[in-house]
């Protein structure tokens, strides 16, 4: 089955697009998703040339679209109409709830001019699509369709009361359409404390707006719902006290009383958390780096797990979590490493910026470092080098010293490979160069690199492009193929930095996270490399190198671990050097 | 499946690869660059596939992909100087 995924251009290559694709895959795991964003660079694929996109719609069996808070943007509307005319099933995707709803006719279609003016208004006012849609809908119902939408958008844009000045920043890590995490994105069984007094007032206002006599008659007579439902709402709302309420209950209550979900946020109905949660926090992206490297996010209701032998890295993690207001526990001794745990809500925020649940090699993250400010990007690279990097110091054949910095990441491409190839491969890890004898299979491998490593390489070259031409870098390449006992094929890729001036750049500009054991071991090796490179090493110097390797092995000494645990987690105050 | 295609000797491959990198004067060469060049030299599409893939298998080049616009393309990379001595993990 082929699915055409129609969505506003503003969503292309954003965490929201990542989430929407995740939802489509969840509903249709076997389907091929045709994403117009991937055809942007194709000749003739400009969005002004709708025929090209019509031909893509025509080649699909169904169409799934997303909109801006219920308003369908001009380009998406054309594609949806095309599919409807051909009698194809069309579904509206709500990325915040994960729901797909079949539609048979299209409403709230925006013209090109209206689409552009809504986008401009969102950026100017720092509101996301559901927030601005709620304001527009209120204005539309006030004017009862007598004022043109364009005029309404313009008057909203010019009203200072709507601008969220506190949200406006010089640089932003995430675009406005993915930036806010609303309460109804939470899983149904998550509970939040709600000011039931405010909720009761909102219900009363809605009932009078609907011309209803009482909640009782509305529930029992108008909606014809059960007495149990009425009794439950009465119980929930009594005493006007803050009360924990499950998200699924709140959503049902809003649906029953026709209260837009966003209204609960506008009335500050939550007392434990301020919704929507702003995801544009450097700390969240810094935490993401640790989780991408050494974390495990299993499901949306389970704690995130983080494993590492170095207590200092756990301390970094703790700091990031606490800055975000999340809860951290650990480190606890686990098999071969320490384990720390982070609350599931923080995990859901990480998921909202592009970190998927499940095995890392199978579920590749969404990553775009382009919007990141320099310090967040620098932190990402430092953390990655510390957690995933390997430093090799080698005496070469001519007795000169060489240093190699490598980063490796993996991707599961089982589903892209021919079944006979998968079954013919022996279990275990094999060298790519010695194993792959079919050029077509090799092409499949190189067409599908790990998204994170590829993004890291692109960003590294982009950030330093003024000093270093791209050709100076060695591009990432696949080096190992691995077949697991459950017949999954994983390809391991490496990014290697060998040239002296690039090694210097990595050490001087980035380095590793200060205070970690690996950063100390790196420092000692780099100093030796710096002092001796370009000259033939004497026997004494080679011995000196062996001593450094013995004194600062990559395996962290137990005594150092114990000391750091004591310093960082069993006493008060931040340690020196972090 | 590959038996119909021409097999190149190590010397032939080395010469072709060296000529290629000397011609382009850069360490990365995209397939869209080397293919027309080799076609002009008289090689067929099958022979060109054989050249880059055998050169990769023999460790003369690193064959990988790079993003050109939104599309990944095959490219070959020739390690030089200090990189050459480190070799390539794909063959280790």
């Amino acid at each position: 089955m082929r699915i055409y995924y129609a969505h506003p251009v503003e969503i292309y290559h954003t965490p929201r697009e990542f989430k929407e694709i995740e939802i489509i895959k969840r509903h249709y795991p076997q389907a091929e998703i045709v994403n117009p964003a991937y055809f942007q660079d194709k000749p003739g694929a400009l969005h002004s040339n709708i025929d090209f996109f019509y031909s893509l719609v025509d080649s699909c069996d169904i169409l799934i679209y997303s909109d801006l808070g219920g308003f369908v943007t001009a380009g998406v509307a054309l594609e949806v109409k095309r599919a409807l005319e051909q009698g194809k099933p069309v579904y509206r995707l709500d990325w915040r709830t994960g729901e797909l709803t079949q539609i048979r006719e299209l409403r709230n279609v925006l013209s090109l001019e209206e689409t552009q003016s809504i986008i401009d208004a969102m950026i100017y006012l720092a509101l996301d699509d559901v927030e601005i849609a709620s304001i527009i809908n209120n204005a539309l119902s006030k004017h009862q369709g007598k004022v043109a939408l364009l005029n309404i958008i313009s008057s909203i844009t010019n009203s200072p009361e709507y601008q969220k000045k506190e949200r406006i920043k010089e640089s932003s890590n995430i675009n406005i359409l993915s930036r806010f995490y609303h309460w109804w994105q939470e899983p149904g069984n998550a509970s939040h404390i709600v000011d039931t007094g405010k909720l009761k007032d909102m219900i009363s206002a809605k009932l009078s707006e609907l011309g209803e006599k009482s909640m009782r008659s509305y529930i029992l007579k108008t909606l014809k719902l059960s007495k149990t439902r009425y009794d439950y709402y009465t119980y929930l709302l009594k005493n006007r006290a803050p009360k924990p309420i499950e998200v699924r209950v709140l959503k049902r209550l809003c649906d029953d009383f026709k209260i837009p979900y966003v209204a609960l946020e506008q009335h500050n109905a939550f007392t434990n958390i301020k919704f929507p949660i702003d995801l544009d926090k450097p700390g969240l992206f810094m935490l993401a780096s640790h989780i991408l490297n050494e974390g495990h996010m299993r499901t949306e209701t389970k704690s995130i797990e983080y494993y590492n032998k170095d207590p200092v890295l756990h301390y970094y993690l703790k700091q990031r979590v606490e800055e975000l207001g999340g809860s951290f526990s650990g480190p606890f001794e686990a098999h071969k490493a320490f384990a720390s745990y982070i609350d599931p809500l923080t995990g859901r925020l990480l998921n909202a910026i592009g970190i998927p649940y499940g095995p890392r090699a199978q579920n590749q993250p969404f990553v775009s470092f382009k919007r990141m400010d320099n310090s967040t990007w620098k932190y990402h690279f430092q953390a990655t080098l510390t957690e995933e990097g390997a430093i090799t110091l080698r005496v070469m054949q001519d007795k000169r010293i060489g240093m190699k910095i490598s980063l490796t990441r993996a991707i599961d491409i089982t589903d892209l490979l021919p079944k006979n190839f998968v079954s013919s491969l022996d279990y275990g890890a094999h060298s790519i160069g010695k194993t792959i004898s079919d050029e077509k299979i090799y092409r499949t491998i190189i067409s599908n690199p790990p998204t994170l490593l590829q993004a890291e390489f692109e960003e590294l070259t982009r950030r330093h492009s003024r000093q270093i031409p791209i050709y100076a870098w060695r591009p990432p390449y696949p080096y190992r193929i691995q077949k697991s006992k459950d017949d999954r094929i994983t390809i391991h890729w490496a990014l290697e930095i060998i040239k002296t001036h690039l090694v210097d750049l990595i050490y001087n500009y980035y380095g590793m996270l200060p205070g970690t054991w690996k950063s100390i071991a790196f420092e000692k090796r780099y100093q030796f490399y710096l002092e001796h490179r370009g000259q033939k090493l004497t026997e004494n110097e080679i011995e000196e190198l062996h001593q450094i390797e013995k004194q600062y092995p990559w395996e962290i000494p137990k005594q150092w671990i114990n000391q750091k645990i004591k310093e960082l987690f069993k006493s008060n105050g931040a340690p020196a050097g972090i | 499946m590959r038996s119909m295609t021409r097999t190149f000797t190590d010397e032939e491959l080395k010469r072709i690869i060296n000529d290629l990198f000397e011609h382009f004067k850069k360490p990365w060469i995209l397939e869209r660059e080397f293919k027309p060049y080799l076609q002009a030299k008289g090689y067929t599409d099958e022979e060109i596939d054989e050249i880059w893939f055998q050169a990769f298998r023999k460790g003369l080049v690193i064959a990988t992909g790079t993003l050109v616009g939104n599309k990944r393309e095959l490219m070959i990379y020739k390690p030089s100087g200090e990189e050459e001595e480190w070799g390539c993990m794909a063959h280790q």
Side-chain angles (χ1 to χ4, degrees):
Chain A
M1 177 194 276
R2 272 166 71 87
I3 298 175
Y4 189 82
Y5 163 44
H7 54 305
V9 177
E10 289 71 22
I11 298 175
Y12 289 5
H13 314 300
T14 64
R16 176 169 162 179
E17 185 188 61
F18 156 82
K19 284 295 297 175
E20 294 192 340
I21 292 172
E22 196 180 70
I23 293 163
I24 299 172
K25 281 184 182 163
R26 201 162 61 224
H27 285 268
Y28 298 97
Q30 303 301 328
E32 181 193 345
I33 300 169
V34 177
N35 182 351
Y38 297 150
F39 295 89
Q40 287 279 287
D41 284 357
K42 233 177 140 59
L46 286 171
H47 260 79
S48 52
N49 178 8
I50 192 69
D51 287 338
F52 175 81
F53 293 95
Y54 279 162
S55 71
L56 288 179
V57 173
D58 295 350
S59 72
C60 291
D61 304 293
I62 68 172
L63 182 144
I64 296 176
Y65 76 96
S66 66
D67 55 33
L68 299 181
F71 290 102
V72 186
T73 51
V76 171
L78 289 173
E79 292 160 344
V80 172
K81 279 179 191 160
R82 176 84 173 188
L84 285 172
E85 279 163 13
Q86 295 180 345
K88 289 180 178 164
V90 172
Y91 296 87
R92 174 180 184 257
L93 184 156
D94 184 333
W95 74 289
R96 297 188 192 277
T97 60
E99 287 162 9
L100 293 182
T101 314
Q102 186 163 12
I103 61 126
R104 289 184 172 79
E105 58 173 328
L106 207 49
R107 288 185 192 148
N108 293 334
V109 174
L110 300 172
S111 66
L112 263 178
E113 210 180 350
E114 288 163 346
T115 300
Q116 194 50 54
S117 83
I118 281 200
I119 301 286
D120 291 346
M122 282 194 290
I123 294 166
Y124 179 69
L125 302 171
L127 298 170
D128 73 11
D129 57 331
V130 283
E131 293 173 322
I132 200 151
S134 153
I135 298 169
I136 292 171
N137 285 329
N138 284 341
L140 282 171
S141 66
K142 208 158 88 185
H143 296 293
Q144 295 179 331
K146 287 174 192 156
V147 180
L149 181 60
L150 216 47
N151 292 342
I152 286 179
I153 300 168
S154 156
S155 100
I156 289 169
T157 310
N158 293 321
S159 307
E161 62 183 295
Y162 295 120
Q163 192 178 45
K164 299 263 185 190
K165 285 202 175 111
E166 71 281 6
R167 291 178 177 179
I168 296 169
K169 294 177 176 181
E170 257 181 51
S171 68
S172 175
N173 288 307
I174 187 163
N175 105 330
I176 192 79
L177 288 164
S178 313
R179 183 173 158 183
F180 297 102
Y181 183 83
H182 295 273
W183 70 267
W184 63 96
Q185 288 175 248
E186 284 282 80
N189 59 354
S191 263
H192 290 292
I193 315 284
V194 179
D195 181 334
T196 54
K198 283 183 179 164
L199 197 55
K200 202 168 177 178
D201 293 342
M202 289 167 74
I203 291 172
S204 301
K206 195 73 196 180
L207 289 174
S208 53
E209 186 190 314
L210 295 169
E212 293 287 340
K213 274 195 297 191
S214 66
M215 185 166 95
R216 186 187 173 91
S217 76
Y218 177 67
I219 296 282
L220 301 179
K221 291 183 182 165
T222 310
L223 298 184
K224 295 187 172 53
L225 294 172
S226 66
K227 171 84 168 34
T228 324
R229 180 82 65 97
Y230 168 71
D231 289 343
Y232 183 59
Y233 286 158
T234 312
Y235 155 77
L236 266 188
L237 301 169
K238 86 173 174 194
N239 298 338
R240 300 178 68 88
K243 216 175 264 179
I245 305 180
E246 281 192 348
V247 165
R248 72 162 70 90
V249 172
L250 267 182
K251 277 161 89 172
R252 195 176 58 201
L253 183 143
C254 287
D255 294 341
D256 284 348
F257 291 99
K258 299 184 172 48
I259 296 172
Y261 295 162
V262 72
L264 267 63
E265 295 175 352
Q266 290 162 342
H267 287 82
N268 293 317
F270 295 93
T271 60
N272 61 332
I273 295 175
K274 170 118 181 67
F275 281 110
I277 299 173
D278 191 347
L279 302 174
D280 194 6
K281 293 180 184 126
L284 187 65
F285 288 84
M286 289 176 180
L287 177 62
S289 304
H290 292 290
I291 302 307
L292 283 166
N293 295 330
E294 304 278 41
H296 294 273
M297 303 221 313
R298 299 189 194 278
T299 67
E300 56 182 9
T301 50
K302 283 200 171 146
S303 294
I304 312 172
E305 298 156 35
Y306 174 84
Y307 295 93
N308 200 290
K309 284 183 185 173
D310 191 336
V312 180
L313 278 165
H314 288 265
Y315 189 79
Y316 272 104
L317 190 78
K318 181 173 183 269
Q319 284 183 312
R320 301 290 83 81
V321 175
E322 289 176 355
E323 276 163 16
L324 294 167
S327 73
F328 170 95
S329 61
F332 304 106
E333 270 192 63
H335 181 59
K336 289 186 181 172
F338 287 101
S340 286
Y341 301 94
I342 304 166
D343 65 285
L345 172 59
T346 303
R348 296 194 286 273
L349 301 183
L350 290 171
N351 177 250
I353 62 166
I355 304 188
Y357 292 105
R360 276 194 296 252
Q362 278 180 45
N363 304 324
Q364 294 286 305
F366 165 81
V367 250
S368 173
F369 297 109
K370 284 184 188 145
R371 298 182 72 105
M372 259 186 194
D373 57 81
N374 276 336
S375 61
T376 312
W377 157 250
K378 191 170 170 179
Y379 185 90
H380 171 81
F381 204 81
Q382 286 180 313
T384 300
L385 206 56
T386 316
E387 288 166 332
E388 297 283 334
I391 311 294
T392 317
L393 202 53
R394 190 200 279 176
V395 181
M396 311 308 273
Q397 275 183 347
D398 63 356
K399 297 223 167 159
R400 287 174 208 274
I401 192 84
M403 181 174 263
K404 179 170 86 166
I405 300 173
S406 13
L407 274 181
T408 59
R409 297 201 185 271
I411 183 165
D412 182 319
I413 60 161
T414 315
D415 302 334
L416 302 171
L417 295 169
K419 286 197 171 55
N420 58 352
F421 170 76
V422 174
S423 56
S424 68
L425 194 67
D426 289 336
Y427 291 108
H430 316 275
S431 134
I432 286 257
K434 292 176 186 161
T435 311
I436 309 296
S437 56
D438 184 330
E439 163 249 324
K440 288 191 175 59
I441 288 179
Y442 191 71
R443 276 186 191 269
T444 305
I445 291 172
I446 60 171
S447 301
N448 296 281
T451 57
L452 186 53
L453 190 69
Q454 188 59 35
E456 285 164 337
F457 176 67
E458 280 164 23
E459 198 57 17
L460 196 58
T461 55
R462 193 183 72 83
R463 297 244 174 189
H464 301 285
S465 59
R466 283 194 187 166
Q467 314 104 288
I468 297 161
I470 190 162
Y471 295 127
W473 300 89
R474 184 177 193 158
Y477 65 92
Y479 69 97
R480 189 190 298 157
I481 182 164
Q482 191 166 9
K483 183 174 169 183
S484 65
K485 291 286 174 206
D486 58 351
D487 292 336
R488 303 295 306 179
I489 305 286
T490 305
I491 308 292
H492 297 259
W493 284 65
L495 164 57
E496 295 175 317
I497 294 152
I498 295 168
K499 288 178 183 157
T500 310
H501 68 297
L502 299 180
V503 168
D504 288 347
L505 171 91
I506 298 298
Y507 177 83
N508 291 318
Y509 187 79
Y510 298 98
M512 293 188 180
L513 287 176
T516 56
W517 174 259
K518 220 162 149 180
S519 76
I520 298 166
F522 181 24
E523 165 77 29
K524 297 290 173 191
R525 283 165 176 78
Y526 180 78
Q527 286 313 324
F528 183 89
Y529 169 71
L530 194 62
E531 283 163 24
H532 298 92
R533 68 189 181 194
Q535 44 183 283
K536 288 188 177 181
L537 296 185
T538 63
E539 288 306 315
N540 280 348
E541 285 164 337
I542 293 173
E543 180 52 30
E544 191 189 332
L545 172 62
H546 289 155
Q547 284 306 316
I548 290 172
E549 287 174 333
K550 209 169 148 187
Q551 216 177 336
Y552 299 96
W554 293 117
E555 185 68 28
I556 314 176
K558 273 192 181 153
Q559 197 191 347
W560 191 86
I561 293 176
N562 293 338
Q563 186 197 328
K564 288 294 161 189
I565 287 279
K566 206 170 152 191
E567 270 176 38
L568 303 173
F569 296 100
K570 292 185 177 161
S571 62
N572 295 325
I578 293 182
Chain B
M1 194 165 67
R2 310 200 57 77
S3 57
M4 297 299 287
T5 55
R6 182 177 154 192
T7 308
F8 294 89
T9 64
D10 288 5
E11 281 64 38
E12 273 179 300
L13 273 179
K14 262 186 204 164
R15 184 186 49 75
I16 298 168
I17 294 296
N18 284 341
D19 284 353
L20 198 57
F21 281 91
E22 242 167 60
H23 173 79
F24 283 98
K25 293 189 174 36
K26 58 180 184 176
W28 296 25
I29 310 176
L30 292 169
E31 187 177 24
R32 65 162 77 171
E33 295 168 324
F34 70 72
K35 201 170 173 177
Y37 173 80
L38 292 174
Q39 279 169 337
K41 294 245 168 197
Y43 295 104
T44 65
D45 286 1
E46 288 75 23
E47 285 170 338
I48 294 169
D49 282 343
E50 200 62 26
I51 290 168
W52 72 258
F53 191 58
Q54 286 310 318
F56 156 69
R57 295 202 76 200
K58 290 186 194 312
L60 301 177
V61 295
I62 292 175
T64 185
T66 189
L67 216 53
V68 180
N70 277 333
K71 201 172 167 262
R72 274 188 81 76
E73 281 199 26
L74 169 78
M75 63 114 118
I76 52 175
Y77 175 79
K78 194 163 180 282
S80 60
E82 43 202 331
E83 283 189 327
E84 231 177 331
E85 230 184 307
W86 281 92
C88 164
M89 289 206 293
H91 302 283
Q92 289 160 8

